[in-house]
Amino acid sequence: MTVISVTAAISSVAQIPISFHTTSLAPPDSADVARMTKPHFWRAAGEVAGFNLGLWAFDRYVQRGDFAYISLNTIKENFRHGFIWDNDKLGTNTFLHPYNGNLYFNAARANGFNFWQSELFAIAGSGMWEMFMEREYPSTNDIIATPIGGAAIGEVLFRASDAVLDDRLSGSARFERELIAFVLSPMRGINRIITGEAWKVRSTRGRLFGTPNFAIRVSAGYKALLYNSHFKEIHQGFAAQIDAEYGDRFEVKSTKPYDYFTIKAELQLLKTQPLLTQVEIKGRLLAREIFDNYRSKGSIGLYQHFDFYDSDTIDNINQVPYKLGIPASVGVGFMFRDIERHQWTYDFFAHANAIALGSILSDHYKTDERNYNWASGFSIKGGFNLVFGKDKLSLSLSHTFFRLITWKGYKFGADLRIINFRTLNVQGDTSVASLNMTEFRADFKIWKKLFGTVLFTNYLRSSRYKYFSPVKSSSNSLQIMVSYKF
């Protein structure tokens, strides 16, 4: 399959310690920028509304979901009653809803609107769904998570699709790229079909962002999950990760959102565990250079964060290792890179973030499909990369700390088994909870761009409840993989 060409030019300045970047970095063509930044309001609004109507029709006539049987009375009741905290699964609330928000966002992005303007369309699309398209009361968490988390996922996928497109091509090579772009950003793909851009041949690439600097790492192999040293309950199976870094963390001349971002996602095949276990996005909104000299570089910026970590009940011991979803978070980040010294070099980063909306595993709140608390708080993230021999060996150590506070809990002694969860409007257990994640990774070169990888992660959870005893737990995962770095 024809994808973007890469070279063996090695960079050790990225959060992916050993990276192989694209060859032909190029700015966008001015004609492409002028054409693709011309806003088309009604087409964007029609695509947002059309998506909502299509999704509702599928839920109503194919899925026959109870929530989709709407009427004028249900709409009036939604406006009368107002918003509540809902009880859907973690994956639904903190990943699938933001993914839907990405579709609203990219309906606008594909029609000439910038990052901030597209966020308004995501808010409108989410509001339309919550107030009109369900017979369940509108959700407080959804109206926050869908547009804000949707912007993070949406801009990442929009820029990824942009890097694939090439309007100079035709035939099978053109079809391959259009298909990849459609999968990455469906609303952009639909928009290109509607407007005829999908098959129109031009003298330019048709990219809004030109050819950016990026690196991709794909890893796959064995994974073992261990909870609280229960060695009889080691879950073993297959896991695959993809890491990508877009842009240059030290190039701060442009202040457009997401000119620099990183994304990491993991899929796994482990008994009783969810397929999607991790998604992490860091997107730079603006930045400033602190210093740049022959010895080192440093920059500081404002970053949007999206975090999703999911696990499920382990057999026999009936315990869940961890659950965490952070769809709305922003904070300050610092980046540092040192020069190469005698065949080795290092870099590190640190972030301090405010969390407007987050969720974390609960030991007591278990009703309908929810076993986690809604909360707000903060997070601190830091990491260190050390590279030897330019591309022979890299060692990485990172740590992330989340502190989440749940203040709107249910009354002490309430029996959650008989409460009507449709009208229950609480965040969960009144509590203060934290999750520490420490990760160590080693990559050693096997051949050219192929590396052997050992990855160890520790999850340490601690929850202090207002009406219950505190709970602590520890989980570990070990992954032995093969990695290919583009």
Side-chain angles (χ1 to χ4, degrees):
M1 180 176 288
T2 303
V3 293
I4 300 172
S5 62
V6 295
T7 184
I10 298 169
S11 169
S12 60
V13 305
Q15 284 190 189
I16 298 178
I18 300 172
S19 307
F20 301 86
H21 291 282
T22 56
T23 55
S24 54
L25 304 181
D29 189 278
S30 58
D32 289 333
V33 173
R35 175 172 51 84
M36 300 173 72
T37 54
K38 183 179 180 180
H40 300 276
F41 175 83
W42 292 112
R43 191 163 67 206
E47 289 173 9
V48 169
F51 170 75
N52 273 342
L53 290 170
L55 182 59
W56 166 79
F58 177 81
D59 291 336
R60 168 64 176 82
Y61 296 105
V62 179
Q63 297 282 75
R64 298 189 182 277
D66 293 340
F67 64 89
Y69 284 75
I70 60 175
S71 66
L72 289 177
N73 287 334
T74 64
I75 294 171
K76 290 178 182 179
E77 182 62 15
N78 285 346
F79 277 93
R80 186 196 67 80
H81 188 277
F83 287 82
I84 66 170
W85 299 94
D86 77 27
N87 293 289
D88 289 339
K89 294 179 180 179
L90 181 80
T92 301
N93 272 333
T94 61
F95 179 75
L96 291 180
H97 281 301
Y99 183 82
N100 275 0
N102 131 75
L103 300 176
Y104 303 138
F105 179 90
N106 274 331
R109 207 70 174 94
N111 279 293
F113 292 93
N114 65 27
F115 177 88
W116 301 109
Q117 293 165 340
S118 298
E119 177 73 318
L120 298 177
F121 282 83
I123 294 171
S126 178
M128 175 185 172
W129 182 267
E130 294 298 323
M131 304 307 298
F132 295 93
M133 311 308 293
E134 291 184 306
R135 66 180 302 152
E136 295 178 350
Y137 295 137
S139 169
T140 302
N141 45 275
D142 287 349
I143 201 65
I144 300 172
T146 301
I148 298 178
I153 297 174
E155 188 67 10
V156 165
L157 295 180
F158 183 77
R159 286 179 177 260
S161 69
D162 194 76
V164 171
L165 294 171
D166 194 338
D167 288 353
R168 301 172 302 176
L169 303 177
S170 59
S172 61
R174 177 65 175 272
F175 177 78
E176 289 174 1
R177 289 178 178 265
E178 293 292 336
L179 179 60
I180 295 171
F182 185 95
V183 172
L184 290 170
S185 182
M187 296 305 287
R188 186 178 197 177
I190 291 172
N191 195 69
R192 286 178 67 83
I193 293 172
I194 292 173
T195 60
E197 297 289 336
W199 49 81
K200 187 176 294 183
V201 178
R202 302 179 184 275
S203 60
T204 59
R205 290 182 182 272
R207 295 178 181 174
L208 181 59
F209 306 106
T211 303
N213 195 14
F214 71 97
I216 301 174
R217 177 175 64 189
V218 179
S219 309
Y222 167 83
K223 179 177 182 179
L225 178 64
L226 174 68
Y227 178 81
N228 271 0
S229 300
H230 284 272
F231 287 97
K232 293 183 179 179
E233 287 300 325
I234 297 178
H235 277 45
Q236 305 176 76
F238 172 83
Q241 281 190 359
I242 181 169
D243 301 79
E245 184 169 34
Y246 177 105
D248 184 346
R249 68 165 79 174
F250 297 105
E251 176 53 63
V252 296
K253 293 179 182 178
S254 172
T255 57
K256 292 180 180 179
Y258 283 74
D259 277 349
Y260 172 79
F261 68 80
T262 63
I263 180 171
K264 178 167 64 175
E266 180 177 319
L267 300 173
Q268 62 181 8
L269 295 174
L270 271 69
K271 183 181 178 182
T272 74
Q273 296 303 302
L275 176 64
L276 179 65
T277 184
Q278 179 182 355
V279 178
E280 180 183 306
I281 296 171
K282 299 186 189 80
R284 189 172 68 195
L285 301 175
L286 54 89
R288 173 170 291 185
E289 183 178 83
I290 301 177
F291 53 84
D292 183 0
N293 54 51
Y294 74 98
R295 297 183 61 87
S296 57
K297 288 187 176 183
S299 68
I300 191 169
L302 184 67
Y303 289 77
Q304 181 181 11
H305 292 250
F306 179 93
D307 298 281
F308 176 80
Y309 297 90
D310 199 11
S311 70
D312 215 332
T313 305
I314 294 180
D315 292 346
N316 298 333
I317 60 175
N318 195 34
Q319 295 290 334
V320 178
Y322 56 85
K323 281 185 179 292
L324 182 103
I326 310 292
S329 177
V330 66
V332 177
F334 173 73
M335 307 289 184
F336 174 86
R337 184 198 69 183
D338 192 47
I339 62 170
E340 185 177 327
R341 300 173 185 271
H342 305 293
Q343 294 296 302
W344 62 271
T345 187
Y346 71 92
D347 66 273
F348 65 82
F349 63 92
H351 294 269
N353 312 302
I355 298 173
L357 178 68
S359 54
I360 192 166
L361 178 68
S362 170
D363 299 279
H364 305 286
Y365 187 88
K366 298 176 182 179
T367 181
D368 192 24
E369 298 179 318
R370 179 148 73 99
N371 59 347
Y372 58 89
N373 293 327
W374 288 112
S376 298
F378 66 91
S379 69
I380 299 173
K381 303 179 180 182
F384 179 89
N385 298 314
L386 187 63
V387 178
F388 296 92
K390 293 187 177 180
D391 67 339
K392 299 298 188 295
L393 171 69
S394 68
L395 303 175
S396 302
L397 180 67
S398 65
H399 183 79
T400 302
F401 172 74
F402 295 94
R403 174 59 62 92
L404 293 168
I405 302 169
T406 300
W407 65 89
K408 188 177 181 180
Y410 55 90
K411 293 181 179 180
F412 179 68
D415 189 346
L416 295 177
R417 295 171 299 179
I418 61 174
I419 288 178
N420 183 356
F421 62 83
R422 184 175 179 270
T423 58
L424 181 62
N425 183 24
V426 296
Q427 292 180 306
D429 302 292
T430 305
S431 61
V432 177
S434 63
L435 181 66
N436 285 273
M437 292 182 291
T438 305
E439 180 177 286
F440 172 76
R441 177 172 181 140
D443 290 270
F444 54 92
K445 188 174 184 178
I446 298 174
W447 180 71
K448 292 187 177 180
K449 301 178 185 180
L450 191 65
F451 291 76
T453 299
V454 177
L455 175 62
F456 175 80
T457 309
N458 173 259
Y459 304 88
L460 181 62
R461 184 177 70 90
S462 175
S463 296
R464 292 187 290 109
Y465 299 99
K466 183 176 182 179
Y467 301 118
F468 304 100
S469 299
V471 176
K472 292 185 178 181
S473 67
S474 177
S475 307
N476 299 293
S477 73
L478 175 65
Q479 295 170 253
I480 302 174
M481 303 179 289
V482 175
S483 300
Y484 190 82
K485 303 189 179 187
F486 294 90

